[in-house]
Amino acid sequence: MPRLTIGLGGILILLGVIAYIATAFASATALIPSALGVILVISGIVGVKRPKIGIHIALVVALIGALGTLMQVSSLPALFAGEAERPGAVITGSIAFVLLVVYLVLGVRSFIRARRWEDQQG
């Protein structure tokens, strides 16, 4: 999980930078995925030496990020209808949402597997 966390963080950093450039540097909020990505990279690095702490922090950040981007996902129908106020934000937020939800699912599955392994060993 630590390497996956670092990789996801890197993807989110890249997503935010691309969104910021695509908005012609007009909207600093386009960098929100990058901020999440930086926190995830740091959590992943912590997770290399202290997996429980680093990955728990990363999953909390991912959950908060997914909840925060949910509003953009709810704007997808307006985007497809051509009526979205900020189409770039909807696209970026939706991509971040999908990435974060997939990460959350993988993280929870990892914890379940670890718990089962510990139960079998103990």
Side-chain angles (χ1 to χ4, degrees):
M1 281 303 294
R3 281 188 245 154
L4 178 64
T5 304
I6 293 168
L8 174 62
I11 291 169
L12 288 172
I13 291 168
L14 187 61
L15 177 64
V17 169
I18 290 170
Y20 188 59
I21 292 169
T23 61
F25 310 101
S27 177
T29 58
L31 291 171
I32 290 173
S34 293
L36 289 171
V38 168
I39 297 169
L40 288 176
V41 167
I42 293 168
S43 297
I45 292 168
V46 169
V48 169
K49 292 194 180 210
R50 310 269 320 256
K52 285 186 179 182
I53 292 173
I55 303 308
H56 276 92
I57 292 170
L59 288 171
V60 169
V61 169
L63 178 62
I64 292 168
L67 292 173
T69 56
L70 189 58
M71 186 175 74
Q72 299 302 334
V73 173
S74 68
S75 299
L76 279 173
L79 177 72
F80 293 134
E83 301 168 353
E85 260 184 59
R86 298 178 354 213
V90 174
I91 293 167
T92 303
S94 297
I95 292 169
F97 176 81
V98 169
L99 292 170
L100 291 167
V101 167
V102 168
Y103 176 75
L104 283 166
V105 169
L106 293 173
V108 169
R109 288 180 63 199
S110 172
F111 282 142
I112 290 170
R113 268 186 272 133
R115 177 70 53 135
R116 286 183 183 157
W117 184 81
E118 286 176 3
D119 289 345
Q120 290 174 352
Q121 300 301 317

